[in-house]
Amino acid sequence: MTHRPDQGPRPEAEDYSSAMRQLGLWLTLPILLAVAPLVGLFAGQWVDRKFGCAPWGALILTFVGLAAGVVETQRLVKTAQRIQDTKK
């Protein structure tokens, strides 16, 4: 049986597209969890130099970056679950 263009995308193409989208979401998680605290650390070091409050700026902003990374990770996991649920 051949696939006609007027029938829409092939089911295999939809599965592949969904799998690649979900893989992309999962691969961003480790990067996000590493980069967010580093950005907070560098911003905190800048604050420490600017205002002379070492090490408090670096500590506080590192934890803020970590918290932002965790919140964004939760959002991405929910998105990945939504993609998986619509696939079923």
Side-chain angles (χ1 to χ4, degrees), residues 29-59:
L29 296 181
I31 295 168
L32 180 66
L33 287 173
V35 170
L38 286 175
V39 169
L41 174 66
F42 293 134
Q45 288 176 340
W46 178 83
V47 167
D48 287 342
R49 283 191 307 272
K50 183 81 172 167
F51 300 108
C53 58
W56 299 110
L59 283 172

Side-chain angles (χ1 to χ4, degrees), residues 1-57:
M1 178 177 204
T2 61
H3 181 76
R4 294 187 330 213
D6 61 337
Q7 293 176 331
R10 293 184 193 176
E12 305 92 36
E14 290 175 6
D15 290 341
Y16 180 77
S17 174
S18 176
M20 288 297 111
R21 190 175 324 123
Q22 196 166 17
L23 179 64
L25 286 173
W26 287 113
L27 288 176
T28 60
L29 296 181
I31 295 168
L32 180 66
L33 287 173
V35 170
L38 286 175
V39 169
L41 174 66
F42 293 134
Q45 288 176 340
W46 178 83
V47 167
D48 287 342
R49 283 191 307 272
K50 183 81 172 167
F51 300 108
C53 58
W56 299 110

Side-chain angles (χ1 to χ4, degrees), residues 39-86:
V39 169
L41 174 66
F42 293 134
Q45 288 176 340
W46 178 83
V47 167
D48 287 342
R49 283 191 307 272
K50 183 81 172 167
F51 300 108
C53 58
W56 299 110
L59 283 172
I60 291 170
L61 290 179
T62 298
F63 284 115
V64 167
L66 182 62
V70 168
V71 168
E72 187 64 17
T73 297
Q74 290 174 339
R75 189 186 70 78
L76 286 174
V77 167
K78 286 180 184 178
T79 301
Q81 288 174 343
R82 195 173 334 118
I83 291 170
Q84 184 66 27
D85 291 343
T86 58

